[in-house]
Amino acid sequence: MSIPTVDVVYTAVATAENGRDGRVASDDGKLDVVVNPPKEQGGSGAGTNPEQLFAAGYSACFQGALSVVARQEKQDVSGSRVTAKVGIGKTSEGAFGLTVEISASIPNVDAETARALVEKAHQVCPYSHATRGNIDVKLTVA
C-alpha cells in the first residue's frame, strides 16, 4: 500500500517536555498544558494526558468530516455530537497500543441515515485515515 501525497495547507507544531509527566505546548502559545499519567497508570492524574488530547483532536476532526459528508448528502447534522473514547493498554505482543470508539449522536436524521453518515465520515476523516489498519476503531451511533 502506497502512502498518498498530501498538499499541506497547515502544519501544527507542539513540543513536549518530560514526556508523559511534564508539559506540552504549541509553537503559537494557544495550547500549553501540563500532562501527567492518569491514576490508572500510576500517575497523579493532575494534568491532562496524551490520550485525552488525541480523543479531543479525533472527535473534533470526525465532527468536521461528518459535516462535510452531511453537506454532500444534503442532511441536517446540526446539534450533532461526536465523542471519542481512547483506550491505552498492553497489546498481546507486550507493547502499548490504543483503541478508539467514536460515538455520534445525530438528532435530526433517522438511525439508518445516521449510521450511513458516520461510515462515510470515517472514510473522509484524516484521523480515521491515519489510524486505519493501526488501531481498532469502533463506530457507534447513539
Side-chain angles (χ1 to χ4, degrees), residues 27-38:
D27 65 334
D28 62 4
K30 293 180 181 178
L31 176 72
D32 191 343
V33 294
V34 171
V35 289
N36 301 115

Side-chain angles (χ1 to χ4, degrees), residues 38-88:
K39 290 182 180 181
E40 295 84 349
Q41 289 184 307
S44 69
T48 189
N49 59 67
E51 291 70 40
Q52 288 175 325
L53 295 170
F54 186 66
Y58 202 160
S59 62
C61 188
F62 200 95
Q63 178 76 52
L66 180 64
S67 295
V68 167
V69 168
R71 278 193 300 278
Q72 293 169 346
E73 302 284 324
K74 298 185 181 357
Q75 296 293 329
D76 179 10
V77 294
S78 60
S80 63
R81 295 171 55 110
V82 173
T83 301
K85 295 179 181 178
V86 175
I88 185 170

Side-chain angles (χ1 to χ4, degrees), residues 8-20:
V8 175
V9 296
Y10 170 75
T11 300
V13 179
T15 302
E17 297 172 3
N18 297 321
R20 297 181 67 88

Side-chain angles (χ1 to χ4, degrees), residues 113-124:
T113 302
R115 277 191 293 281
L117 290 171
V118 166
E119 287 291 338
K120 288 177 183 176
H122 190 47
Q123 298 308 309
V124 171

